[in-house]
Amino acid sequence: MPRVVVLGCGTGVGKTRVCVALLQQLARIGQACIGLKPIESGIAAQDSPCPQPPPGSDASALAEAGSLHVTTEPHPLYALARPISPHLAAREMGLEIAPEAVVRWVASVEHDVTPLVASDMAFWTIIETAGGVFSPLSRGATNLDLARALEPAIWILVAGDSLGVLHEVSATLQAMRAHGRTPEHVVLSAAREPDASTGSNAAELEALGIVTPTTVLERDDDRGVQSLVKCLVAGERPT
Ligand SMILES: Nc1ncnc2c1ncn2[C@@H]1O[C@H](COP(=O)(O)OP(=O)(O)OP(=O)(O)O)[C@@H](O)[C@H]1O
Ligand SMILES: [Mg+2]
């Protein structure tokens, strides 16, 4: 059961787009897969535990893109009303986010879908984190701690393909290195607002020796993610 944890250089950088593209491509080539966003802020709280994430949420986009139907409740685990940092949104609702609770929830979803998958077949769990790598989830935990708790997993770092990304990726990787774990893959996702740097950032990250190689998810063109999925399925690094 390969797990993929999708981390971001920040919020709004394309993590959901990348997760959806990964799931669609995995499904297209016949791989069983589910997409989960365990913690999401800025979404309608559900009155009672419900397996359907609120329409329009990242959790809902991921659930729809996967090839397997998730019936575990609640979904997402932490549906946080206010569109602010998860630790604050949770606190306002009298909650404290615990990475171990997320791990238990992910494991229970994986357990619930296992009977739907042929016994000789693997299935992929793609997990989108909320915000950036070092966004706080609680007073003592960030998304990096959550990603560690979800090990063993393949880590993908997503950044926006726009001006400033050379610094963002470089700084994020240096900070992750200082914590002893860097991502296996880096994906630049089409910028919300393209600028003069868009399109050249991946080559520049490689030329500067910051990331080799870098995958690009272009607007309306999934080819970059297609080759990334090929590598993931083959257990290789992209070339
Ligand atoms: N590959 C892409 N193609 C087209 N638009 C994109 C792409 N990547 C990002 N965007 C644009 O950037 C916006 C933010 O992307 P997305 O919602 O995937 O970011 P995110 O990192 O998941 O954000 P959040 O931190 O809120 O979860 C999208 O609404 C979309 O307009
Ligand atoms: Mg998202």
Side-chain angles (χ1 to χ4, degrees), residues 125-221:
T125 306
I126 311 292
I127 302 159
E128 180 186 347
T129 52
V133 180
F134 295 98
S135 296
L137 299 180
S138 66
R139 204 174 279 276
T142 65
N143 279 313
L144 186 81
D145 300 303
L146 174 60
R148 277 190 188 285
L150 287 164
E151 297 268 40
I154 297 158
W155 293 10
I156 295 178
L157 178 68
V158 179
D161 191 0
S162 57
L163 198 58
V165 74
L166 304 181
H167 160 74
E168 282 162 20
V169 171
S170 173
T172 305
L173 290 178
Q174 286 185 46
M176 290 178 83
R177 205 166 289 125
H179 281 79
R181 174 75 160 89
T182 51
E184 278 76 24
H185 304 277
V186 175
V187 179
L188 297 192
S189 196
R192 215 186 316 229
E193 285 176 28
D195 56 42
S197 79
T198 304
S200 66
N201 288 310
E204 210 46 48
L205 281 170
E206 292 177 18
L208 293 166
I210 297 169
V211 187
T212 313
T214 311
T215 297
V216 178
L217 175 60
E218 289 182 18
R219 203 170 286 272
D220 306 320
D221 183 352

Coordinates of all heavy atoms in Angstrom, one line a residue, residues 125-221:
T125 N -2.4 5.5 -1.6 CA -3.1 6.6 -0.8 C -2.3 7.9 -1.0 O -1.2 8.0 -0.7 CB -3.1 6.2 0.7 OG1 -3.6 4.9 0.8 CG2 -3.9 7.2 1.5
I126 N -3.0 8.8 -1.6 CA -2.4 10.2 -1.8 C -3.0 11.1 -0.7 O -4.2 11.3 -0.6 CB -2.8 10.7 -3.2 CG1 -2.5 9.6 -4.3 CG2 -2.1 12.0 -3.5 CD1 -1.1 9.3 -4.6
I127 N -2.1 11.7 0.0 CA -2.5 12.5 1.2 C -2.1 13.9 1.0 O -0.9 14.2 0.9 CB -2.0 11.9 2.5 CG1 -2.4 10.4 2.7 CG2 -2.4 12.8 3.7 CD1 -1.5 9.7 3.6
E128 N -3.0 14.8 0.9 CA -2.7 16.3 0.8 C -2.6 16.9 2.2 O -3.6 16.7 3.0 CB -3.7 17.0 0.0 CG -3.4 18.5 -0.1 CD -4.4 19.4 -0.8 OE1 -5.3 18.9 -1.4 OE2 -4.3 20.6 -0.7
T129 N -1.5 17.6 2.5 CA -1.4 18.3 3.8 C -2.0 19.7 3.7 O -2.3 20.1 2.6 CB 0.1 18.4 4.2 OG1 0.8 18.9 3.1 CG2 0.6 17.0 4.6
A130 N -2.3 20.3 4.8 CA -2.9 21.6 4.8 C -1.9 22.7 5.0 O -1.3 22.8 6.1 CB -3.9 21.7 6.0
G131 N -1.7 23.6 4.0 CA -0.8 24.7 4.1 C 0.6 24.2 3.7 O 0.8 23.4 2.8
G132 N 1.7 24.8 4.3 CA 3.0 24.5 4.0 C 3.7 23.5 4.9 O 3.1 23.1 5.9
V133 N 4.9 23.1 4.5 CA 5.6 22.0 5.3 C 5.6 22.3 6.7 O 5.4 21.5 7.6 CB 7.0 21.8 4.7 CG1 7.7 20.7 5.5 CG2 7.1 21.6 3.3
F134 N 5.9 23.6 7.1 CA 6.1 24.0 8.5 C 4.9 24.7 9.1 O 5.0 25.3 10.1 CB 7.4 24.8 8.6 CG 8.6 24.0 8.3 CD1 9.2 24.1 7.0 CD2 9.1 23.1 9.2 CE1 10.3 23.4 6.7 CE2 10.3 22.3 8.8 CZ 10.8 22.5 7.6
S135 N 3.8 24.6 8.4 CA 2.5 25.2 9.0 C 2.2 24.4 10.2 O 2.2 23.2 10.3 CB 1.4 25.1 8.0 OG 1.6 25.8 6.8
P136 N 1.9 25.2 11.3 CA 1.5 24.5 12.6 C 0.2 23.8 12.5 O -0.8 24.3 12.0 CB 1.5 25.6 13.6 CG 1.4 26.9 12.8 CD 1.8 26.6 11.4
L137 N 0.2 22.6 13.1 CA -1.1 21.8 13.2 C -1.6 21.9 14.6 O -2.8 21.8 14.9 CB -0.9 20.4 12.8 CG -0.5 20.1 11.4 CD1 -0.3 18.6 11.1 CD2 -1.4 20.7 10.4
S138 N -0.6 22.1 15.6 CA -1.0 22.3 17.0 C 0.2 23.0 17.6 O 1.2 23.3 16.8 CB -1.2 20.9 17.6 OG 0.1 20.2 17.6
R139 N 0.2 23.2 18.8 CA 1.4 23.9 19.5 C 2.7 23.2 19.2 O 3.7 23.8 19.0 CB 1.1 24.1 20.9 CG 1.9 25.2 21.6 CD 1.4 25.4 23.0 NE 0.2 26.2 23.1 CZ 0.1 27.5 23.1 NH1 1.2 28.2 23.0 NH2 -1.0 28.1 23.3
G140 N 2.6 21.9 19.2 CA 3.9 21.1 19.1 C 4.1 20.4 17.8 O 5.1 19.6 17.7
A141 N 3.2 20.5 16.8 CA 3.4 19.7 15.6 C 3.1 20.5 14.3 O 2.2 21.4 14.3 CB 2.4 18.5 15.6
T142 N 3.9 20.2 13.3 CA 3.7 20.8 12.0 C 3.4 19.7 10.9 O 3.4 18.6 11.3 CB 5.0 21.5 11.5 OG1 6.0 20.5 11.3 CG2 5.5 22.6 12.5
N143 N 3.2 20.1 9.7 CA 3.0 19.1 8.6 C 4.2 18.2 8.5 O 4.0 17.1 8.1 CB 2.7 19.8 7.3 CG 1.2 20.3 7.2 OD1 0.3 19.5 7.6 ND2 1.0 21.5 6.8
L144 N 5.4 18.7 8.8 CA 6.6 17.8 8.7 C 6.4 16.7 9.7 O 6.7 15.5 9.4 CB 7.8 18.6 9.0 CG 9.1 17.8 8.7 CD1 9.4 17.8 7.2 CD2 10.3 18.4 9.5
D145 N 6.0 17.0 10.9 CA 5.8 15.9 11.9 C 4.7 15.0 11.5 O 4.8 13.8 11.7 CB 5.3 16.6 13.3 CG 6.4 17.5 13.8 OD1 7.6 17.1 13.9 OD2 6.1 18.7 14.0
L146 N 3.6 15.5 10.8 CA 2.6 14.6 10.3 C 3.1 13.7 9.2 O 2.9 12.5 9.2 CB 1.4 15.5 9.8 CG 0.3 14.7 9.1 CD1 -0.3 13.6 10.0 CD2 -0.8 15.6 8.5
A147 N 3.9 14.3 8.3 CA 4.5 13.5 7.2 C 5.4 12.4 7.8 O 5.3 11.2 7.3 CB 5.3 14.3 6.3
R148 N 6.1 12.7 8.8 CA 6.9 11.6 9.5 C 6.1 10.6 10.1 O 6.4 9.4 10.1 CB 7.8 12.3 10.6 CG 9.0 12.9 10.1 CD 9.9 13.3 11.3 NE 11.0 14.1 11.0 CZ 12.1 13.6 10.4 NH1 12.2 12.4 10.1 NH2 13.1 14.4 10.1
A149 N 5.0 11.0 10.8 CA 4.1 10.0 11.4 C 3.5 9.1 10.4 O 3.1 8.0 10.7 CB 3.1 10.7 12.2
L150 N 3.3 9.6 9.1 CA 2.7 8.8 8.1 C 3.7 7.8 7.4 O 3.3 7.1 6.4 CB 2.0 9.7 7.1 CG 0.7 10.3 7.6 CD1 0.3 11.5 6.7 CD2 -0.4 9.3 7.7
E151 N 4.9 7.9 7.8 CA 5.9 7.0 7.1 C 5.6 5.5 7.4 O 4.9 5.2 8.4 CB 7.3 7.2 7.8 CG 7.8 8.6 7.5 CD 8.7 8.8 6.3 OE1 8.4 8.2 5.2 OE2 9.7 9.6 6.4
P152 N 6.0 4.6 6.5 CA 6.8 4.9 5.3 C 5.9 5.5 4.2 O 4.8 5.0 4.0 CB 7.3 3.5 4.8 CG 6.3 2.5 5.4 CD 5.7 3.2 6.7
A153 N 6.4 6.5 3.5 CA 5.7 7.2 2.5 C 6.7 7.9 1.5 O 7.8 8.2 1.9 CB 4.8 8.3 3.1
I154 N 6.2 8.1 0.3 CA 6.9 8.9 -0.6 C 6.5 10.4 -0.4 O 5.3 10.6 -0.4 CB 6.6 8.5 -2.1 CG1 7.0 7.0 -2.3 CG2 7.2 9.4 -3.1 CD1 6.3 6.3 -3.4
W155 N 7.4 11.3 -0.3 CA 7.1 12.7 -0.1 C 7.2 13.5 -1.4 O 8.3 13.4 -2.1 CB 7.9 13.3 0.9 CG 7.8 12.8 2.3 CD1 7.0 11.7 2.7 CD2 8.3 13.4 3.5 NE1 7.1 11.6 4.1 CE2 7.9 12.6 4.6 CE3 9.2 14.5 3.8 CZ2 8.3 12.8 5.9 CZ3 9.5 14.7 5.1 CH2 9.1 13.9 6.2
I156 N 6.2 14.3 -1.7 CA 6.3 15.1 -2.9 C 6.1 16.6 -2.4 O 5.1 16.9 -1.7 CB 5.2 14.8 -3.9 CG1 5.4 13.4 -4.5 CG2 5.1 15.8 -5.1 CD1 4.3 12.9 -5.5
L157 N 7.0 17.5 -2.8 CA 6.9 18.9 -2.4 C 6.4 19.7 -3.6 O 6.9 19.5 -4.7 CB 8.3 19.4 -2.0 CG 8.3 20.9 -1.6 CD1 7.6 21.2 -0.3 CD2 9.8 21.3 -1.5
V158 N 5.4 20.5 -3.4 CA 4.7 21.2 -4.5 C 5.0 22.7 -4.3 O 4.9 23.2 -3.2 CB 3.2 21.0 -4.6 CG1 2.6 21.8 -5.7 CG2 2.9 19.5 -4.7
A159 N 5.4 23.4 -5.4 CA 5.6 24.9 -5.3 C 4.9 25.4 -6.6 O 4.7 24.7 -7.6 CB 7.1 25.2 -5.3
G160 N 4.6 26.7 -6.5 CA 4.0 27.4 -7.7 C 5.0 27.8 -8.7 O 6.1 28.2 -8.3
D161 N 4.7 27.7 -10.0 CA 5.7 28.0 -11.0 C 5.6 29.5 -11.3 O 5.2 30.0 -12.4 CB 5.3 27.2 -12.3 CG 6.5 27.3 -13.3 OD1 7.5 28.0 -13.1 OD2 6.3 26.7 -14.4
S162 N 6.1 30.3 -10.3 CA 6.1 31.7 -10.5 C 7.3 32.4 -9.8 O 8.0 31.7 -9.1 CB 4.8 32.3 -10.0 OG 4.6 32.0 -8.6
L163 N 7.5 33.7 -10.0 CA 8.6 34.4 -9.4 C 8.7 34.2 -7.9 O 7.6 34.3 -7.2 CB 8.5 35.9 -9.8 CG 9.8 36.7 -9.7 CD1 10.9 36.1 -10.6 CD2 9.5 38.1 -10.0
G164 N 9.9 33.9 -7.4 CA 10.0 33.7 -6.0 C 10.2 32.2 -5.6 O 10.6 31.9 -4.5
V165 N 9.9 31.3 -6.6 CA 9.9 29.9 -6.3 C 11.4 29.4 -6.1 O 11.6 28.4 -5.4 CB 9.2 29.1 -7.4 CG1 10.0 29.0 -8.7 CG2 8.8 27.7 -6.9
L166 N 12.4 30.0 -6.7 CA 13.7 29.6 -6.5 C 14.1 29.7 -5.0 O 14.7 28.8 -4.4 CB 14.7 30.3 -7.4 CG 14.4 30.4 -8.9 CD1 15.5 31.2 -9.6 CD2 14.3 28.9 -9.4
H167 N 13.7 30.8 -4.4 CA 14.0 31.0 -3.0 C 13.1 30.0 -2.2 O 13.6 29.4 -1.3 CB 13.6 32.4 -2.6 CG 13.4 32.6 -1.1 ND1 14.4 32.5 -0.2 CD2 12.2 32.7 -0.4 CE1 13.9 32.6 1.0 NE2 12.6 32.7 0.9
E168 N 11.8 29.9 -2.5 CA 10.9 29.1 -1.7 C 11.3 27.7 -1.7 O 11.3 27.0 -0.6 CB 9.4 29.2 -2.3 CG 8.7 30.5 -1.9 CD 7.5 30.8 -2.8 OE1 7.0 29.8 -3.5 OE2 7.1 31.9 -2.9
V169 N 11.7 27.1 -2.8 CA 12.0 25.7 -2.9 C 13.4 25.5 -2.2 O 13.6 24.6 -1.4 CB 12.1 25.2 -4.3 CG1 12.7 23.8 -4.4 CG2 10.7 25.2 -4.9
S170 N 14.3 26.4 -2.4 CA 15.6 26.3 -1.8 C 15.5 26.4 -0.3 O 16.1 25.6 0.5 CB 16.5 27.4 -2.4 OG 17.7 27.5 -1.7
A171 N 14.8 27.4 0.2 CA 14.6 27.6 1.7 C 13.9 26.4 2.3 O 14.3 25.9 3.4 CB 13.9 28.9 1.9
T172 N 12.9 25.9 1.6 CA 12.1 24.8 2.2 C 13.0 23.6 2.2 O 13.0 22.8 3.3 CB 10.8 24.5 1.4 OG1 10.1 25.8 1.3 CG2 10.0 23.5 2.0
L173 N 13.7 23.3 1.2 CA 14.6 22.1 1.2 C 15.7 22.2 2.2 O 16.0 21.2 2.9 CB 15.2 21.9 -0.2 CG 14.2 21.4 -1.3 CD1 14.9 21.3 -2.6 CD2 13.5 20.1 -0.9
Q174 N 16.3 23.4 2.4 CA 17.3 23.5 3.4 C 16.8 23.3 4.8 O 17.4 22.6 5.6 CB 17.9 25.0 3.3 CG 18.8 25.1 2.1 CD 19.5 26.5 2.1 OE1 20.0 26.9 3.1 NE2 19.5 27.2 1.0
A175 N 15.6 23.8 5.0 CA 15.0 23.6 6.4 C 14.6 22.2 6.6 O 14.8 21.6 7.7 CB 13.7 24.5 6.5
M176 N 14.1 21.5 5.5 CA 13.8 20.1 5.7 C 15.0 19.3 5.9 O 15.1 18.3 6.7 CB 13.0 19.6 4.4 CG 11.6 20.2 4.3 SD 10.8 19.6 2.8 CE 10.1 18.0 3.3
R177 N 16.1 19.6 5.2 CA 17.4 18.9 5.3 C 17.9 19.0 6.8 O 18.3 18.1 7.4 CB 18.4 19.5 4.4 CG 19.5 18.5 4.0 CD 20.3 19.0 2.8 NE 19.6 19.0 1.6 CZ 19.4 20.0 0.7 NH1 19.9 21.2 1.0 NH2 18.7 19.8 -0.4
A178 N 17.7 20.2 7.4 CA 18.1 20.4 8.7 C 17.3 19.6 9.7 O 17.7 19.2 10.8 CB 18.0 21.9 9.1
H179 N 16.1 19.2 9.3 CA 15.3 18.3 10.1 C 15.5 16.8 9.7 O 14.8 15.9 10.2 CB 13.8 18.6 9.9 CG 13.4 19.8 10.7 ND1 13.6 21.1 10.3 CD2 12.8 19.9 11.9 CE1 13.2 22.0 11.2 NE2 12.6 21.3 12.2
G180 N 16.4 16.6 8.7 CA 16.8 15.2 8.5 C 16.0 14.4 7.4 O 16.1 13.2 7.3
R181 N 15.1 15.1 6.7 CA 14.3 14.4 5.7 C 13.9 15.3 4.6 O 13.2 16.4 4.9 CB 13.1 13.8 6.4 CG 12.0 13.1 5.5 CD 12.5 11.7 5.0 NE 11.4 10.9 4.5 CZ 10.9 10.8 3.3 NH1 11.4 11.6 2.3 NH2 9.9 10.0 2.9
T182 N 14.2 15.0 3.3 CA 13.8 15.8 2.2 C 12.9 15.0 1.3 O 12.8 13.8 1.4 CB 15.0 16.3 1.4 OG1 15.8 15.1 1.1 CG2 15.9 17.3 2.1
P183 N 12.1 15.7 0.4 CA 11.1 15.0 -0.4 C 11.8 14.2 -1.5 O 12.9 14.5 -1.9 CB 10.3 16.1 -1.0 CG 11.1 17.3 -1.0 CD 12.1 17.2 0.2
E184 N 11.2 13.1 -1.9 CA 11.7 12.3 -3.1 C 11.5 13.1 -4.4 O 12.3 12.9 -5.3 CB 11.0 11.0 -3.2 CG 11.5 9.9 -2.3 CD 11.1 10.1 -0.8 OE1 10.0 10.7 -0.6 OE2 11.8 9.6 0.1
H185 N 10.4 13.9 -4.5 CA 10.1 14.6 -5.7 C 9.7 16.0 -5.5 O 9.1 16.3 -4.4 CB 9.0 13.9 -6.5 CG 9.2 12.4 -6.7 ND1 9.9 12.0 -7.8 CD2 8.9 11.3 -6.0 CE1 10.0 10.6 -7.8 NE2 9.4 10.2 -6.7
V186 N 10.0 16.9 -6.4 CA 9.5 18.3 -6.4 C 8.7 18.5 -7.6 O 9.1 18.2 -8.7 CB 10.7 19.3 -6.3 CG1 10.2 20.7 -6.3 CG2 11.4 19.0 -5.0
V187 N 7.5 19.1 -7.4 CA 6.6 19.4 -8.6 C 6.3 20.9 -8.6 O 5.9 21.5 -7.6 CB 5.3 18.7 -8.5 CG1 4.4 19.0 -9.7 CG2 5.5 17.1 -8.5
L188 N 6.5 21.6 -9.7 CA 6.1 22.9 -9.9 C 4.7 22.9 -10.6 O 4.6 22.3 -11.6 CB 7.1 23.7 -10.8 CG 8.5 23.9 -10.2 CD1 9.2 25.0 -11.1 CD2 8.5 24.3 -8.7
S189 N 3.7 23.5 -10.0 CA 2.4 23.5 -10.5 C 2.1 24.9 -11.2 O 2.6 25.9 -10.7 CB 1.4 23.2 -9.4 OG 0.2 22.8 -10.0
A190 N 1.4 24.9 -12.3 CA 1.1 26.1 -13.0 C 0.6 27.2 -12.0 O -0.2 27.0 -11.2 CB 0.0 25.8 -14.0
A191 N 1.2 28.4 -12.2 CA 0.9 29.4 -11.2 C -0.5 30.0 -11.4 O -1.1 29.9 -12.5 CB 1.9 30.6 -11.5
R192 N -1.1 30.4 -10.3 CA -2.4 31.0 -10.4 C -2.3 32.2 -11.3 O -3.2 32.4 -12.1 CB -2.8 31.5 -9.0 CG -4.3 31.4 -8.7 CD -4.7 32.0 -7.4 NE -3.8 31.7 -6.3 CZ -4.2 31.2 -5.1 NH1 -5.5 31.0 -4.9 NH2 -3.4 31.1 -4.1
E193 N -1.2 33.0 -11.2 CA -1.0 34.1 -12.1 C 0.4 34.0 -12.7 O 1.4 34.4 -12.0 CB -1.2 35.4 -11.3 CG -2.6 35.7 -11.0 CD -2.8 37.0 -10.2 OE1 -1.9 37.9 -10.3 OE2 -3.8 37.0 -9.5
P194 N 0.5 33.4 -13.9 CA 1.8 33.3 -14.5 C 2.5 34.6 -14.6 O 1.9 35.6 -14.8 CB 1.5 32.7 -15.9 CG 0.1 32.2 -15.8 CD -0.6 33.0 -14.8
D195 N 3.9 34.6 -14.6 CA 4.7 35.8 -14.8 C 5.8 35.5 -15.7 O 5.9 34.4 -16.3 CB 5.1 36.4 -13.4 CG 5.9 35.3 -12.6 OD1 6.7 34.6 -13.2 OD2 5.6 35.3 -11.4
A196 N 6.8 36.4 -15.8 CA 7.9 36.2 -16.8 C 8.8 35.0 -16.4 O 9.5 34.5 -17.3 CB 8.7 37.5 -16.8
S197 N 8.7 34.6 -15.2 CA 9.6 33.4 -14.8 C 8.9 32.1 -15.1 O 9.6 31.1 -15.1 CB 9.9 33.5 -13.3 OG 8.8 33.0 -12.5
T198 N 7.6 32.1 -15.2 CA 6.8 30.8 -15.4 C 7.3 30.1 -16.7 O 7.4 30.7 -17.7 CB 5.3 31.1 -15.5 OG1 4.9 31.9 -14.4 CG2 4.5 29.8 -15.6
G199 N 7.7 28.9 -16.5 CA 8.1 28.1 -17.6 C 9.6 27.9 -17.6 O 10.1 26.9 -18.1
S200 N 10.4 28.8 -16.9 CA 11.8 28.6 -16.9 C 12.3 28.2 -15.5 O 13.5 27.9 -15.3 CB 12.5 29.9 -17.3 OG 12.3 30.9 -16.3
N201 N 11.4 28.2 -14.5 CA 11.8 27.9 -13.1 C 12.3 26.5 -12.9 O 13.3 26.3 -12.1 CB 10.6 28.2 -12.2 CG 10.3 29.7 -12.0 OD1 11.3 30.5 -11.8 ND2 9.1 30.1 -12.2
A202 N 11.7 25.5 -13.5 CA 12.2 24.1 -13.3 C 13.7 24.0 -13.8 O 14.5 23.5 -13.1 CB 11.3 23.2 -14.1
A203 N 13.9 24.5 -15.0 CA 15.3 24.4 -15.5 C 16.3 25.2 -14.7 O 17.4 24.7 -14.4 CB 15.3 25.0 -17.0
E204 N 15.8 26.3 -14.1 CA 16.7 27.1 -13.3 C 17.0 26.4 -11.9 O 18.1 26.4 -11.4 CB 16.0 28.5 -13.0 CG 17.0 29.6 -12.8 CD 18.1 29.6 -13.8 OE1 17.9 29.5 -15.1 OE2 19.3 29.8 -13.4
L205 N 16.0 25.7 -11.4 CA 16.2 25.0 -10.1 C 17.2 23.9 -10.4 O 18.1 23.6 -9.5 CB 14.9 24.3 -9.7 CG 13.9 25.2 -8.9 CD1 12.5 24.5 -8.8 CD2 14.4 25.6 -7.6
E206 N 17.2 23.3 -11.5 CA 18.1 22.3 -11.9 C 19.5 22.9 -12.1 O 20.5 22.4 -11.6 CB 17.7 21.4 -13.1 CG 16.4 20.6 -12.7 CD 15.8 19.9 -13.9 OE1 16.6 19.7 -14.9 OE2 14.7 19.5 -13.8
A207 N 19.6 24.0 -12.9 CA 20.9 24.6 -13.2 C 21.6 25.1 -11.9 O 22.8 25.0 -11.8 CB 20.7 25.8 -14.1
L208 N 20.8 25.5 -11.0 CA 21.4 26.0 -9.7 C 21.7 24.9 -8.7 O 22.2 25.1 -7.6 CB 20.4 27.0 -9.0 CG 20.2 28.3 -9.7 CD1 19.0 29.1 -9.2 CD2 21.5 29.2 -9.6
G209 N 21.4 23.7 -9.1 CA 21.7 22.5 -8.3 C 20.7 22.4 -7.1 O 21.1 21.8 -6.1
I210 N 19.6 23.1 -7.1 CA 18.7 23.1 -6.0 C 17.8 21.8 -6.0 O 17.6 21.1 -5.0 CB 17.8 24.3 -6.0 CG1 18.7 25.6 -5.8 CG2 16.7 24.3 -4.9 CD1 18.0 26.9 -6.1
V211 N 17.3 21.4 -7.2 CA 16.5 20.2 -7.3 C 16.8 19.6 -8.7 O 16.8 20.2 -9.7 CB 15.0 20.5 -7.4 CG1 14.2 19.2 -7.4 CG2 14.5 21.4 -6.3
T212 N 17.1 18.3 -8.7 CA 17.3 17.6 -9.9 C 16.6 16.2 -9.8 O 17.0 15.4 -8.9 CB 18.8 17.3 -10.2 OG1 19.5 18.5 -10.0 CG2 19.0 16.9 -11.6
P213 N 15.8 15.9 -10.7 CA 15.1 16.8 -11.6 C 13.8 17.3 -11.0 O 13.4 16.9 -9.9 CB 14.7 15.8 -12.8 CG 14.5 14.5 -12.1 CD 15.3 14.5 -10.8
T214 N 13.2 18.2 -11.7 CA 11.9 18.8 -11.2 C 10.8 18.5 -12.2 O 11.0 18.5 -13.4 CB 12.0 20.4 -11.2 OG1 13.3 20.7 -10.5 CG2 10.9 21.0 -10.5
T215 N 9.7 18.1 -11.6 CA 8.5 17.8 -12.5 C 7.6 19.1 -12.6 O 7.5 19.8 -11.6 CB 7.6 16.7 -11.8 OG1 8.4 15.5 -11.7 CG2 6.4 16.4 -12.6
V216 N 7.1 19.3 -13.8 CA 6.2 20.4 -14.0 C 4.8 20.0 -14.3 O 4.6 19.1 -15.2 CB 6.7 21.4 -15.1 CG1 5.8 22.5 -15.3 CG2 8.1 21.9 -14.7
L217 N 3.8 20.5 -13.6 CA 2.4 20.2 -13.9 C 1.9 21.5 -14.6 O 1.6 22.5 -13.9 CB 1.5 19.9 -12.7 CG 0.0 19.7 -13.0 CD1 -0.2 18.6 -14.0 CD2 -0.7 19.4 -11.7
E218 N 1.8 21.4 -15.9 CA 1.3 22.6 -16.6 C -0.2 22.8 -16.6 O -0.9 21.8 -16.3 CB 1.9 22.6 -18.1 CG 3.4 22.8 -18.1 CD 3.9 22.8 -19.5 OE1 3.1 23.0 -20.5 OE2 5.1 22.6 -19.6
R219 N -0.7 23.9 -16.9 CA -2.1 24.2 -17.0 C -2.6 23.3 -18.2 O -2.1 23.3 -19.3 CB -2.3 25.7 -17.4 CG -3.6 26.2 -17.0 CD -3.6 27.7 -17.2 NE -2.9 28.3 -16.1 CZ -3.4 28.7 -14.9 NH1 -4.7 28.5 -14.7 NH2 -2.6 29.2 -13.9
D220 N -3.7 22.5 -17.9 CA -4.3 21.7 -18.9 C -3.4 20.8 -19.6 O -3.6 20.5 -20.8 CB -5.1 22.6 -19.9 CG -6.0 23.6 -19.3 OD1 -6.7 23.2 -18.3 OD2 -6.0 24.8 -19.7
D221 N -2.4 20.4 -19.0 CA -1.4 19.4 -19.6 C -0.8 18.6 -18.5 O 0.1 19.0 -17.8 CB -0.4 20.2 -20.4 CG 0.6 19.2 -21.2 OD1 0.5 18.0 -20.9 OD2 1.4 19.7 -22.0

